[in-house]
Amino acid sequence: MKMLINAPETVVADALAGLAAAHPGLRVDAERRIVLRAEPGRAGKPALVSGGGSGHEPLHAGFVGFGMLDAACPGEVFTSPVPDQMLAAAQAVDTGGGVLFLVKNYTGDVLNFQLAADLLEDEGITARTVLIDDDVAVEDSLYTAGRRGTGATLFAEKHAGAAAERGASLDEAAAVAELTNAACRSFGIALGPGTTPSAGRPGFELGDGEIELGVGIHGEPGRRRAAYAPANELAEIAVEAVCADLDFSGDAMVLLNGMGASPLLELYIVYAEVVRALERRGVRVVRNLVGDYITSLNMPGFSVTVCRAEPELMDLWDAPVQTPALRWGR
Amino acid sequence: MKMLINAPETVVADALAGLAAAHPGLRVDAERRIVLRAEPGRAGKPALVSGGGSGHEPLHAGFVGFGMLDAACPGEVFTSPVPDQMLAAAQAVDTGGGVLFLVKNYTGDVLNFQLAADLLEDEGITARTVLIDDDVAVEDSLYTAGRRGTGATLFAEKHAGAAAERGASLDEAAAVAELTNAACRSFGIALGPGTTPSAGRPGFELGDGEIELGVGIHGEPGRRRAAYAPANELAEIAVEAVCADLDFSGDAMVLLNGMGASPLLELYIVYAEVVRALERRGVRVVRNLVGDYITSLNMPGFSVTVCRAEPELMDLWDAPVQTPALRWGR
C-alpha cells in the first residue's frame, strides 16, 4: 500500500517534526514525544494533558493551544503512549494548578495514564483523570472494557480547556469534562478499512457492498456488517443509535466527523441528513463542526457525536480557542 | 464504489444543503447554486467571485467570508459552473465597486467566466478577470490550454480579498491577484486516483507500485508515471519542479495540500521534507498551511504550492479572515 511516509518505523517522529515546523504555537520535544504549547499556560491554571495512539490526527496534538490542551502525548500508530511520556508532559506543563488527564477509554491508555497519575502524585503534583466513553456502538470491544471513547473527547478537551482558562480549579475542570462526557453520545460507520503504516495493508476487510455499523476508531468491529445504503439511511442509523441511548430533545451541538478518506463534499451531504434526522426527533442543532477531527488514518466513513447544549457547555464551547485544528473568537 | 451520497445526480445540491446548515455565515441560493456571505460586503468594496467544478472542497465555497470571497459558484463535480450562475452571483454581491472573477485556468471555466463577464458588463457592472495558472507540471493538459490553476488560487483569493477589505479598488485588487499568481508555483503527486460519484469508479488507474508526477486536480495526467518512492524523495521532486520554474530564494509561504485521502499524519511528514528541500535551496518558509484545501475528491496524494513572501503579500496573508476553511486574526 502506497503511503506518504519515509519508513514505517519513523512515521510518528517524522510527523511530529512536520507538526513542529508547521505550528510556531507548538513546541515538540522529539526525544520524549510530547507536544506542548510554546507559551505556557497561566500560573496556577490546571494543566490539561491528553494523548493516545497516533493515526487520529488532528486529535490530540492539533488541539494543543490556548483554550484547549496544554500538552499531548502521541503514541505509535494505534498504540498507547507510555507512562514516562505522560509524566514528562504533565511535569512540563504543570504551573501549580495540578494536571487533568483526559483519557479515551481504551485499556492500554487507561492503564498507562493511571500509572502516570500515580508517578505524578509521587512527585507531589495533583492529578485527576477523566475517562471518555461516549461511543454507544458496543459494550467491550477489541481494545476496550466498557464503551469506547471517541468524539466526546473533542468536546471534553474544548469545554474543560475553556473552563481552565477562565479560572476553574482542577476539580472544577474535571467536573466539566465529566459533565461533557455524560452529555455526549457517538456512533461511527465505515465504508472501508484504514491502512496502518506498519502493516502496510488494510486493517480489516469489507466486501464491495458492505459497511461496518458502529465501527471503532481503530477499525474495531461494531454492531454488525450491513449492506451499503445511501447517506440519508446511514445518517438515520447513526442518529437513531445515539438518540436511543440518551434523550437529546432540545438544543444540541453536533460533530460530523470524517474518518479520514471521505471527501468533505460527502461529509456535508451526511451532515444535512443528520440535521434532518435530529429534527425529526425534536433535536435542534445550535453548534456544529463538519470535517476530519478524529480520524482513523485513511478510513472512509464518518461518525456522529451529539452533545446536549446545556447552557454552561455551550458557553464553554463558544469561548476563544487557538489551536492548529480549532480556532475562533480571539 | 461506496460513497456517502444519496444519489449521484444530487451530490452537489445535497452538499450545498449541508454547507448552508453548517455555516450560519454563508447563504446558499440552492436554486441557482451560488454561495454568498450572509452579511454582504461593505458598499463600494470590489466583490470577489470564484467558482469551478465541485469535488475540490473546501475550495471555493469554504473560502467565502470576510477577508476572502464574496461568492462562489460550484459547478457539478469536475464540471464548470454555467455563466448564469456566475452572473447571478456577481449581481448578488456587487455593492458598486465592480466584480473580480478569480478563475482557475481550465478551458470550460475560462469560457464561461468570460461569457459571464460580458453579460455583467451589459448590466452596467464592471468586471475584471484574473486567470490562475500556477501548476508547473505541464503546458496544456486534458482540460486546459496553457498551465493549470491550482494552489495559487487560495493565495490569490486570500490576498485580493484582504486588499479589497482594506479599500483597494477593483483594479488594485486584480493587480494583487495577478501579482500573487506570478509569485506562486505548484506541483502535485498522486498515489492513486479519486472516484467521481457519477462514474462510480476511479478516474484513472495506477499500478500497485506506481505514482503520477505532476497530476492535475481532476486526475489529469502529469509529467510521467514513476515508481513509488518515500516521502522525502517525493517532496524533493515536487520542490525541484517548483523551484526550477521560479527563483524562490529568500522567504516563502507554503501550502502543503492534501488531495483528499491522505491522512494528516502523512501530510505532516511530507511538510517536514518540503521545508528541508526548500532550505537546501536557500528558501526559508515563513508562513504555511498543511491540510486538505484543494482536493480531488478522495485522491491520495499531495501538492506543494510555494508563494514568494514579498512584504505586500505577506501582509495581506496575515490580514484577518473569517471563512469556514480559513480563519484567523479577528
Side-chain angles (χ1 to χ4, degrees), chain B residues 26-271:
Chain B
L26 300 185
R27 192 161 64 77
V28 175
D29 173 340
E31 194 192 338
R32 297 192 290 188
R33 296 227 173 137
I34 57 182
V35 180
L36 312 162
R37 296 190 195 184
E39 272 184 45
R42 172 177 48 74
K45 182 183 87 67
L48 270 66
V49 176
S50 192
S54 294
H56 308 298
E57 291 66 29
L59 183 85
H60 296 272
F63 302 138
V64 173
F66 179 86
M68 224 163 157
L69 296 178
D70 291 275
C73 312
E76 287 299 313
V77 171
F78 291 179
T79 304
S80 173
V82 295
D84 277 1
Q85 250 175 301
M86 300 161 178
L87 179 66
Q91 287 176 315
V93 296
D94 175 58
T95 58
V99 175
L100 176 58
F101 286 137
L102 293 168
V103 183
K104 300 194 301 302
N105 189 34
Y106 299 95
T107 305
D109 297 76
V110 173
L111 291 173
N112 287 331
F113 269 107
Q114 184 53 55
L115 264 168
D118 293 345
L119 293 168
L120 198 60
E121 295 275 359
D122 290 347
E123 302 285 330
I125 298 176
T126 310
R128 287 288 310 270
T129 298
V130 173
L131 288 189
I132 308 296
D133 61 350
D134 55 309
D135 185 344
V136 301
V138 290
E139 292 288 334
D140 305 336
S141 182
L142 204 51
Y143 305 111
T144 320
R147 286 184 170 186
R148 302 174 300 215
T150 167
T153 315
L154 185 155
F155 287 98
E157 293 176 0
K158 175 70 182 77
H159 295 162
E165 299 292 355
R166 285 180 178 176
S169 68
L170 180 59
D171 282 344
E172 288 164 349
V176 164
E178 273 162 6
L179 181 64
T180 300
N181 185 50
C184 286
R185 296 292 187 276
S186 297
F187 191 85
I189 297 180
L191 300 192
T195 307
T196 55
S198 57
R201 56 186 156 68
F204 59 99
E205 291 194 11
L206 273 178
D208 273 355
E210 247 184 352
I211 60 176
E212 180 76 35
L213 300 180
V215 72
I217 57 172
H218 312 91
E220 306 96 306
R223 289 185 178 174
R224 63 184 176 91
R225 299 265 161 112
Y228 168 70
N232 56 358
E233 294 180 32
L234 300 183
E236 172 64 26
I237 289 167
V239 167
E240 172 55 28
V242 160
C243 290
D245 202 84
L246 187 67
D247 179 9
F248 281 103
S249 52
D251 289 354
M253 304 189 274
V254 168
L255 165 64
L256 193 288
N257 176 58
M259 294 290 209
S262 286
L264 186 54
L265 187 74
E266 298 184 18
L267 299 183
Y268 278 124
I269 293 173
V270 178
Y271 179 67

Side-chain angles (χ1 to χ4, degrees), chain A residues 8 10 19 26 56 63 71 76 112 185 224 271 274 286 304:
Chain A
T10 62
L19 182 84
L26 299 185
H56 308 298
F63 302 139
E76 286 299 314
N112 286 330
R185 295 292 188 277
R224 62 185 175 92
Y271 179 68
V274 163
V286 293
V304 176

